[in-house]
Amino acid sequence: MSEVSSRDLLERLIAFATVSRDSNLELIRFIEAYLAGHGVQSELFFNDEGTKANLFATIGPLQSGGVVLSGHTDVVPVDGQAWTVDPFHLSEKDGRLYGRGTADMKGFIASVLAAVPNFVQRPLRVPVHLAFSYDEEVGCLGVRPMLVELQKRPYKPALCLIGEPTELKPVLGHKGKLAMRCEVRGAACHSAYAPYGVNAIEYAAKLIGRLGAIGEQLAHPDHHDERFDPPYSTVQTGVIKGGRALNIVPAECEFDFEVRALPNFDAQDVASQLQAYAEEQLLPKMRAVQADTDIKLRPLSAYPGLATSPESEAARLLAILSQSSAFGTVAFGTEGGLFDEAGIPTVVCGPGSMEQGHKPDEFIELAQLQGCDAILLRLADYLCTDPSKM
C-alpha cells in the first residue's frame, strides 16, 4: 500500500461522523483495513452492544517496552452550532483544516497512521503500539475495558503518549473529574399550605450552597498547586431541574455537579461531605414533615488526574520528541490518568489547540499537523536505538 499524507488521512477520518452517541465502527474498520494493508494486525475491543470498538495494534517486536500512541475516535456533537462549513467534510483555507475533530483529536490519529509505513520499514528495537478508543468525550468510558485486557498481558509498554491537542507543547499533568447527580425527593402540596410540604427545590438550593462553600474551602491558598490553572480543585453545578407549577410545592428536584480535582485530591471527598451534610442537617428536617423524603447522590462519570514526574523516563522522552523541556499542564481531562493507573506512565502532546475543540468551525493548522509528523519521525529514530533506554 502506498504512503498517504496525514492531511489526506485526516480528510478520510473527518468524513466518519463518530459523534459519541453514534457508532465508530466504520472508522475503526477503515483503520483496521489501512493497517492490514501495511501488514499490521489489529485487535478490536467491543462495547457490550457491539456498536463501538477500541482498536489496539503493535508494530515491531513483541516484547515489553516501547510506546503507546493513544487517541480517541469519538467527537462531540455539532447540533445547534453555527458552522459555516460542512463539519464532516474537510475544508482548507489559509493553512487551516476545518472539520469536526480536526483538533480534538483526529489530527493526531491521522499523523499516527501516516507514520505507520515508516514504523513498519524501520528496524525498531522496541515496539510502538496504537490504541484508539471510543466514548472519551462522555467520561473516558470506552478505553477502560481495553486497559483491563492489556494489564493481563506479559508484555507491558514503557510509556504512553496521548495526542490530545496541546499545540505540540509537552504536558505532564491535568486534573481529574467527578460528575455526580443529586436527586431530592420532597413532598408536594398546594403552595398555600407550603409549610406542610417539603420543597425539593429549596432543599436542592441548600445542597448547592453547600457545594459552593466546599469550593471556597478548596480555593484556599493552602490547597494550591501553581502548575495548574486555576491552581486549585473546583466545584460547580451545571444543570438543575425541578418543579411543575408555581402554586405546587415541588416534590422533585435534581441537579448535576462536577469536581475538577488536582491529581493529589480525591474528588470523592466532595461527594462524601455533601452526603454527610444531607444526612446530618437536611434529611431529619425533611422527614419530620414527610417520612419517605430522600436525598440521593449518583455518580455519572469520573476519571483520574495525571501528574507525571518531570524526572521520569516518560518526561525525558517527551522532551526529546517535542524538543522542549518546558513541561506544562492542561485544564481539560484525558485518558492519561487511566493509562497511568494501569501501570503505563503517560504524557500528553499533540497537534492543534483545545481553543478550537468543541466549537463550530473547529480547525487545525496544517503546520501543526506537519509538526506532529516530525515528532513521530523522531520517535521512530529513537525506537531504533538501544532498547535498554526503555
Side-chain angles (χ1 to χ4, degrees):
M1 179 180 288
S2 60
E3 297 185 12
V4 186
S5 70
S6 56
R7 187 260 180 226
D8 291 343
L9 283 163
L10 181 57
E11 184 170 20
R12 294 294 304 275
L13 296 177
I14 293 303
F16 297 103
T18 51
V19 176
S20 301
R21 65 187 175 221
D22 301 322
S23 173
N24 74 334
L25 288 185
E26 288 189 18
L27 180 147
I28 288 294
R29 292 299 186 188
F30 167 77
I31 294 176
E32 181 183 39
Y34 173 86
L35 294 175
H38 291 286
V40 179
Q41 292 186 330
S42 303
E43 296 179 78
L44 302 187
F45 301 87
F46 290 89
N47 66 350
D48 292 340
E49 297 76 22
T51 57
K52 301 178 182 181
N54 301 302
L55 181 146
F56 188 81
T58 298
I59 302 171
L62 187 60
Q63 63 184 59
S64 291
V67 178
V68 179
L69 300 175
S70 174
H72 63 83
T73 63
D74 60 318
V75 298
V76 297
V78 300
D79 308 37
Q81 294 187 334
W83 285 73
T84 63
V85 296
D86 182 346
F88 299 110
H89 177 81
L90 194 72
S91 303
E92 184 171 357
K93 183 179 180 181
D94 299 330
R96 294 176 173 178
L97 304 174
Y98 291 86
R100 174 55 88 222
T102 47
D104 186 19
M105 58 176 296
K106 290 180 178 178
F108 176 73
I109 295 176
S111 283
V112 170
L113 295 179
V116 165
N118 185 45
F119 287 134
V120 169
Q121 295 162 13
R122 300 290 296 276
L124 302 182
R125 303 290 296 275
V126 290
V128 58
H129 309 278
L130 313 184
F132 302 137
S133 67
Y134 64 87
D135 280 1
E136 189 272 350
E137 296 288 6
V138 291
C140 298
L141 302 179
V143 73
R144 298 171 195 246
M146 177 167 63
L147 288 175
V148 169
E149 290 301 316
L150 296 182
Q151 284 181 281
K152 300 175 183 177
R153 300 187 176 182
Y155 303 117
K156 297 293 191 294
L159 60 97
C160 174
L161 170 62
I162 293 184
E164 290 277 10
T166 68
E167 299 179 280
L168 300 177
K169 297 173 183 177
V171 165
L172 300 184
H174 62 74
K175 294 179 180 179
K177 177 183 174 181
L178 173 67
M180 301 284 294
R181 175 163 294 162
C182 180
E183 299 168 342
V184 182
R185 186 172 75 243
C189 70
H190 193 291
S191 62
Y193 302 97
Y196 303 133
V198 178
N199 191 311
I201 291 178
E202 292 181 359
Y203 277 96
K206 295 177 188 293
L207 290 158
I208 293 170
R210 188 67 170 190
L211 285 172
I214 294 171
E216 290 176 2
Q217 294 170 3
L218 294 176
H220 190 276
D222 289 347
H223 305 304
H224 283 200
D225 184 335
E226 299 301 334
R227 295 175 299 172
F228 295 87
D229 181 22
Y232 47 85
S233 300
T234 59
V235 184
Q236 76 100 21
T237 301
V239 178
I240 185 168
K241 302 175 184 177
R244 299 179 181 274
L246 185 57
N247 62 353
I248 302 174
V249 170
E252 300 93 16
C253 185
E254 67 178 34
F255 62 89
D256 298 346
F257 67 94
E258 68 170 20
V259 184
R260 298 278 180 164
L262 293 171
N264 63 350
F265 176 70
D266 184 358
Q268 187 61 44
D269 183 58
V270 173
S272 298
Q273 288 188 54
L274 192 66
Q275 186 70 54
Y277 173 67
E279 293 176 357
E280 296 169 9
Q281 302 293 326
L282 302 186
L283 282 173
K285 296 178 182 179
M286 294 167 64
R287 289 172 176 168
V289 178
Q290 182 72 35
D292 63 353
T293 54
D294 203 3
I295 297 172
K296 291 184 177 179
L297 295 180
R298 182 162 62 86
L300 298 176
S301 64
Y303 56 76
L306 177 69
T308 299
S309 169
E311 308 303 322
S312 65
E313 179 66 25
R316 189 180 72 81
L317 176 57
L318 181 59
I320 292 172
L321 298 181
S322 65
Q323 298 184 327
S324 172
S325 58
F327 301 124
T329 65
V330 289
F332 57 86
T334 78
E335 296 167 332
L338 293 169
F339 275 93
D340 196 66
E341 283 189 344
I344 306 173
T346 300
V347 294
V348 185
C349 183
S353 169
M354 196 58 85
E355 286 295 314
Q356 279 70 55
H358 298 197
K359 293 182 179 179
D361 290 351
E362 178 182 349
F363 70 85
I364 189 172
E365 294 179 356
L366 184 58
Q368 283 280 304
L369 208 59
Q370 294 166 342
C372 188
D373 293 342
I375 283 178
L376 295 174
L377 286 174
R378 288 194 285 273
L379 176 61
D381 290 340
Y382 187 87
L383 297 181
C384 292
T385 61
D386 183 359
S388 64
K389 295 180 180 180
M390 299 186 69

